[in-house]
Amino acid sequence: MGNTKKVFLFCSAGMSTSMLAYAMQQVADNHKLPITVEAKPVDSIGQIIEAEHPDCILLGPQVSHMYNETVKRYGPTGIPISLIDKESYGLMDGEKVLKKAVLLIKQAKAGK
């Protein structure tokens, strides 16, 4: 994947999402993947996309109601946007969520 990819998890408050981001980062580090995973507040998603240009956006289950609007507004940027499934989120399955993010990044790159 070359340069470091940025995977941002967006949620409302962020404590559990920060834990998931940490778990994902641990998996990336253990596999020596050039990926940075961070949890961010969903209310500043626009500014964050503009300033930091993430390679993948994942929305936590708590903000799943914002998915369609997020895709409509930011999908044209070419950044893949997806929901974190409730089961993976509840289990804090960093590996499964990271694999999904990597797949989304690869698909977006292939589609360009």
Side-chain angles (χ1 to χ4, degrees):
M1 285 197 314
N3 59 339
T4 300
K5 301 295 182 196
K6 292 183 275 192
V7 176
F8 289 172
L9 282 55
F10 287 92
C11 67
S12 44
M15 198 57 221
S16 51
T17 304
S18 293
M19 288 168 35
L20 180 59
Y22 179 78
M24 292 170 68
Q25 188 66 62
Q26 293 294 105
V27 173
D29 293 347
N30 290 342
H31 292 283
K32 298 188 179 9
L33 299 173
I35 297 173
T36 300
V37 183
E38 296 178 30
K40 304 277 187 180
V42 78
D43 56 0
S44 52
I45 191 169
Q47 303 95 292
I48 291 168
I49 289 171
E50 205 171 294
E52 301 190 51
H53 307 286
D55 295 282
C56 183
I57 294 169
L58 299 175
L59 299 177
Q62 325 85 318
V63 294
S64 61
H65 62 281
M66 299 176 72
Y67 175 74
N68 291 335
E69 179 64 23
T70 304
V71 169
K72 198 162 83 179
R73 284 178 88 177
Y74 306 111
T77 63
I79 301 168
I81 301 166
S82 186
L83 290 170
I84 301 168
D85 73 85
K86 285 186 176 116
E87 185 182 350
S88 297
Y89 191 89
L91 294 171
M92 291 286 137
D93 189 339
E95 185 167 1
K96 185 173 181 185
V97 180
L98 184 68
K99 282 180 180 174
K100 180 176 184 174
V102 169
L103 181 64
L104 290 166
I105 292 168
K106 285 182 177 174
Q107 289 172 340
K109 192 176 177 187
K112 284 184 181 170

